[in-house]
Amino acid sequence: MQFRTQIPISKSNNPIDYNSKVLSIGSCFAENIAEKFDYFKFQNETNPFGIIFNPVSIEKLFRRVCELDFYQEKDVFFHNERWHSYEVHSDLSNSDRQELLETLNKAITETNKQLKEASHIIITYGTSWIYRNLESEEIVANCHKVPQKQFSKELLTVDVIQKSIQNTIDLIQTLNPDINFIFTVSPVRHIKDGFVENQLSKSHLFTALHQTFDFRLSTFDYFPSYEIMMDELRDYRFYTEDMLHPNQIAIDYIWKLFSENYIAQESISVMQEVDEIQKSLRHRNFNPESEQHQKFLAKLQQKINFLGEKLPHIKF
């Protein structure tokens, strides 16, 4: 008797290995997966402009990056004693306007370079709901706690999302025609929009993605992180205390499925070596001066040196 469903996942034709350079962009779930890449010492860059949820804001950032369209004073504003940009996350906000502009423009330059060199890009869409600034009529990525009356809330249509996704792809391919795309929809539920509204939002993302291209035939990959959470992990014990975000058990499980299908087979043994070293580095000894512990440290350093000789970019 079968007690659970299991999402079928096709193995990628362009798997990630330790020579790959990965750029991850999008919702907070993009950061969950990126933390795994960081732990296993893959070459990975994540959300240089902070967490971004909706497709149009992601497209805007890629347009700036690909066209090297740098931020100017008119692109930032002052609120609650800090300077902000409506296009990026509040993590980048700064009390000094010039420092904010320098941070944003440095991110453009560095991301442009990373995008040219990247072998894979992972884009995680979070929601179809957007906020539009009433004065500028521009869609914002973050409201920065500006009063709600200054924005209208809208649900992006499937057609608008589809066009935005295609624009994003076109921009990236202009800069790097050989890059491999992996798309996913965040399993985080945006219940502040409403339960029904969250499902509607996600359905618009799914429809737009699958209408943009046929994942069975194209070189684009779709990883079903949302579907895994909803169908395989359909129990609240897999959520954090807010009952909205996947907990560490869920993240570990989703990563396991990702790595089995999107990581090159020859890299699995290296991941195991890295895991052993990471666990050893976190080991706390009650008697650090003992001969036994010194031997343990010497053996650990030997493992790190051996791995570093094979893959010089791996640093602990």
Side-chain angles (χ1 to χ4, degrees):
M1 186 178 291
Q2 188 171 344
F3 289 98
R4 58 184 292 225
T5 54
Q6 194 162 6
I7 307 295
I9 304 173
S10 301
K11 285 190 177 293
S12 173
N13 293 322
N14 304 290
I16 295 165
D17 60 29
Y18 275 92
N19 293 314
S20 302
K21 293 185 177 180
V22 183
L23 179 61
S24 302
I25 299 286
S27 83
C28 47
F29 187 72
E31 305 215 330
N32 295 147
I33 294 300
E35 285 172 6
K36 292 293 187 181
F37 278 121
D38 292 340
Y39 176 85
F40 287 104
K41 299 297 179 181
F42 285 91
Q43 299 181 80
N44 172 64
E45 297 291 338
T46 314
N47 278 345
F49 299 93
I51 295 167
I52 307 293
F53 296 101
N54 76 78
V56 172
S57 293
I58 289 174
E59 177 199 346
K60 275 187 181 180
L61 286 177
F62 276 116
R63 189 168 299 281
R64 279 200 182 271
V65 168
C66 294
E67 297 176 356
L68 290 175
D69 179 13
F70 294 107
Y71 288 91
Q72 302 174 38
E73 290 186 2
K74 65 180 177 61
D75 299 315
V76 298
F77 67 97
F78 193 71
H79 178 69
N80 281 344
E81 301 182 9
R82 290 176 73 78
W83 289 92
H84 312 272
S85 166
Y86 278 129
E87 295 183 13
V88 306
H89 195 270
S90 54
D91 284 350
L92 279 76
S93 298
N94 198 302
S95 57
D96 184 277
R97 180 173 61 182
Q98 195 55 38
E99 284 185 15
L100 171 60
L101 289 171
E102 287 174 6
T103 298
L104 294 175
N105 290 332
K106 183 180 178 183
I108 287 177
T109 303
E110 290 182 349
T111 308
N112 180 282
K113 181 176 182 292
Q114 290 159 1
L115 202 52
K116 287 176 180 175
E117 297 174 352
S119 59
H120 296 76
I121 183 164
I122 303 173
I123 300 178
T124 305
Y125 294 121
T127 184
S128 303
W129 288 103
I130 57 93
Y131 290 88
R132 189 183 299 275
N133 183 285
L134 294 175
E135 183 180 356
S136 67
E137 297 188 350
E138 291 289 327
I139 292 172
V140 304
N142 196 298
C143 295
H144 301 293
K145 298 184 178 179
V146 171
Q148 193 69 44
K149 63 183 179 182
Q150 296 187 31
F151 304 93
S152 63
K153 183 178 179 181
E154 304 169 22
L155 182 69
L156 295 173
T157 66
V158 172
D159 287 344
V160 168
I161 297 170
Q162 186 177 352
K163 184 177 180 182
S164 185
I165 293 170
Q166 190 60 60
N167 288 344
T168 300
I169 292 167
D170 292 343
L171 285 163
I172 293 169
Q173 287 184 327
T174 300
L175 208 61
N176 184 345
D178 299 321
I179 200 167
N180 298 295
F181 288 84
I182 301 172
F183 289 95
T184 188
V185 172
S186 170
V188 178
R189 297 182 300 148
H190 293 251
I191 298 305
K192 67 176 182 179
D193 296 319
F195 287 87
V196 174
E197 290 82 357
N198 172 67
Q199 292 298 92
L200 181 60
S201 164
K202 299 289 189 185
S203 69
H204 280 210
L205 295 174
F206 293 134
T207 305
L209 275 168
H210 288 275
Q211 283 185 359
T212 304
F213 29 68
D214 189 335
F215 290 104
R216 294 168 300 178
L217 303 177
S218 72
T219 57
F220 300 90
D221 282 319
Y222 175 76
F223 178 67
S225 56
Y226 180 88
E227 294 85 341
I228 293 166
M229 194 72 201
M230 293 297 107
D231 283 282
E232 292 195 41
L233 305 176
R234 48 191 308 162
D235 191 298
Y236 279 109
R237 72 177 184 268
F238 297 116
Y239 286 85
T240 58
E241 289 181 2
D242 66 4
M243 299 298 169
L244 304 176
H245 291 77
N247 64 16
Q248 196 57 53
I249 296 171
I251 292 168
D252 290 346
Y253 181 77
I254 294 171
W255 167 257
K256 175 178 175 290
L257 296 184
F258 181 91
S259 59
E260 286 174 354
N261 295 280
Y262 289 84
I263 303 295
Q265 189 60 41
E266 61 269 21
S267 294
I268 301 299
S269 60
V270 179
M271 289 175 65
Q272 292 169 349
E273 288 181 59
V274 172
D275 189 35
E276 286 179 13
I277 292 171
Q278 292 279 41
K279 287 175 179 175
S280 295
L281 287 169
R282 295 178 183 189
H283 174 70
R284 293 292 175 263
N285 192 280
F286 291 111
N287 188 5
E289 303 302 323
S290 68
E291 182 181 351
Q292 183 183 12
H293 185 62
Q294 295 306 311
K295 287 180 179 178
F296 167 80
L297 292 178
K299 188 175 180 181
L300 176 58
Q301 190 59 52
Q302 193 176 23
K303 288 181 181 179
I304 292 173
N305 293 342
F306 178 72
L307 193 56
E309 288 173 7
K310 289 194 297 182
L311 297 162
H313 71 266
I314 292 183
K315 307 291 183 187
F316 290 93

